[in-house]
Amino acid sequence: MTTGDFALTTDELRDVTRYVARHAEDVLPVYERAVPGDPRPRAAIEAARAFVDGANRTNRQRVTSVDAHRAARSAPSEAARLAARCAGDSASAAYLHPIARATQVGHILRAAASAARIGELAAGDDPAVGEALLERSRRWATPTLVDVLRRYPPTTGGGSRVARLMNALDTALRGTRSTGSERRS
């Protein structure tokens, strides 16, 4: 699609965006309960879904992503911040860069890790809930998503809980042979 270390097709970008948007949609109510009336995260998910459903990538995805990330910075709780960031990530996934840097993996997996962290927080900081949600995210990954992920170097860790969850999901998906058993558009 664009110049870089490898090619990414529009269909591959749509598959990645679908995966990220699915996680963002699941946790959007967390943000909307915390900050009723703020349309920015929902607008980002809608922009992501428009691309997934066949629209061209446009400035709409870029602008709504930035707006949702701004909403995240001012959210009143960790869970609400993560939910808004997931929404922003969904819109920005349409612009995943084809450069072989581990930092790009965050554009593919951070929303899933953030959704797992939100689940942990809702369950009184229970790591078993996060692990179960990561397993669900692993099952949601299509073969195309795993193929795209494998073009990037693995994540190298990080100190936050979200970074550790993302690293665990990255490791699990790279070791997966058969995925996509629970596809949903």
Side-chain angles (χ1 to χ4, degrees):
M1 163 138 287
T2 56
T3 59
D5 296 337
F6 48 81
L8 286 172
T9 68
T10 300
D11 286 342
E12 289 169 331
L13 289 170
R14 284 192 168 104
D15 198 71
V16 170
T17 303
R18 179 181 299 110
Y19 182 78
V20 178
R22 186 174 186 188
H23 289 89
E25 288 165 338
D26 280 354
V27 298
L28 179 62
V30 172
Y31 181 82
E32 291 183 332
R33 280 191 301 272
V35 188
D38 185 347
R40 296 175 293 175
R42 181 172 293 279
I45 294 170
E46 289 170 357
R49 277 290 170 192
F51 173 67
V52 167
D53 292 342
N56 290 330
R57 294 185 306 176
T58 66
N59 202 36
R60 178 181 178 198
Q61 286 83 26
R62 291 181 189 273
V63 169
T64 58
S65 173
V66 169
D67 287 347
H69 284 105
R70 284 185 182 134
R73 285 193 295 270
S74 61
S77 68
E78 179 182 0
R81 280 190 297 278
L82 292 172
R85 189 169 73 179
C86 287
D89 288 350
S90 72
S92 64
Y95 283 95
L96 179 66
H97 298 296
I99 53 175
R101 293 193 184 137
T103 55
Q104 292 298 305
V105 172
H107 297 300
I108 303 169
L109 301 180
R110 184 171 71 172
S114 294
R117 177 65 182 145
I118 291 167
E120 287 179 345
L121 291 168
D125 223 2
D126 184 353
V129 171
E131 291 167 18
L133 289 169
L134 287 185
E135 175 57 25
R136 180 190 71 175
S137 296
R138 188 197 61 74
R139 290 190 317 267
W140 284 357
T142 64
T144 298
L145 183 123
V146 173
D147 179 60
V148 169
L149 176 67
R150 288 178 177 156
R151 295 178 200 168
Y152 296 94
T155 57
T156 56
S160 74
R161 179 65 179 149
V162 170
R164 291 190 306 275
L165 289 164
M166 187 172 69
N167 195 29
L169 181 58
D170 184 32
T171 300
L173 287 174
R174 288 174 192 278
T176 299
R177 289 184 188 265
S178 175
T179 61
S181 61
E182 291 188 23
R183 283 195 75 173
R184 178 186 88 176
S185 59

